[in-house]
Amino acid sequence: MQSDEMQTLTPAEVAAALGVSPNKVRQLVREGKLMAVPGSGNSRIPADFLQDGAVLRHLPGLITVLRDGGFSDAEVFEWLFREDESLPGTPVAALRGDRHTEVTRRAQALAF
């Protein structure tokens, strides 16, 4: 589902944006608080997952809800970036626009 327009960052670029070490970024990915593009070997992280020098506030919880609901990483990623007419936009865009309650509710409904 990777869009050619999706801007991605390396762990070093994410680290610079967050003010942490690249190792800390890799730890965030391992812990499921951040996701890399599936198939990129954890080397490309969507720029949309960051906002105002931080990881999107509700992204880690959303990733956990979807994974706990049986979604693979590829499915989680695809869902986050799938256009949804009723939001409108993508779940990631809704998170960036502070509409996290609706996105989380949908994720919880999908997981059960």
Side-chain angles (χ1 to χ4, degrees):
M1 129 85 259
Q2 285 169 254
S3 159
D4 292 335
E5 286 84 51
M6 181 187 293
Q7 182 187 358
T8 60
L9 305 169
T10 64
E13 291 168 327
V14 172
L18 298 178
V20 298
S21 71
N23 281 340
K24 176 64 176 172
V25 171
R26 286 187 276 278
Q27 180 184 346
L28 291 171
V29 171
R30 276 194 310 275
E31 292 173 350
K33 293 181 171 78
L34 198 54
M35 277 190 88
V37 176
S40 73
N42 292 345
S43 66
R44 303 304 302 179
I45 297 164
D48 282 346
F49 286 172
L50 306 178
Q51 190 171 39
D52 301 328
V55 174
L56 278 176
R57 185 163 158 224
H58 297 280
L59 181 66
L62 191 59
I63 291 170
T64 299
V65 166
L66 291 166
R67 284 179 172 163
D68 287 354
F71 278 58
S72 69
D73 283 356
E75 290 166 333
V76 169
F77 195 86
E78 199 273 330
W79 186 82
L80 288 168
F81 286 97
R82 184 185 311 137
E83 286 291 327
D84 185 331
E85 296 299 319
S86 64
L87 273 173
T90 65
V92 166
L95 285 181
R96 293 178 65 79
D98 203 29
R99 290 178 293 155
H100 60 86
T101 305
E102 180 62 17
V103 175
T104 303
R105 189 185 63 70
R106 288 165 194 243
Q108 288 168 332
L110 281 174
F112 297 102

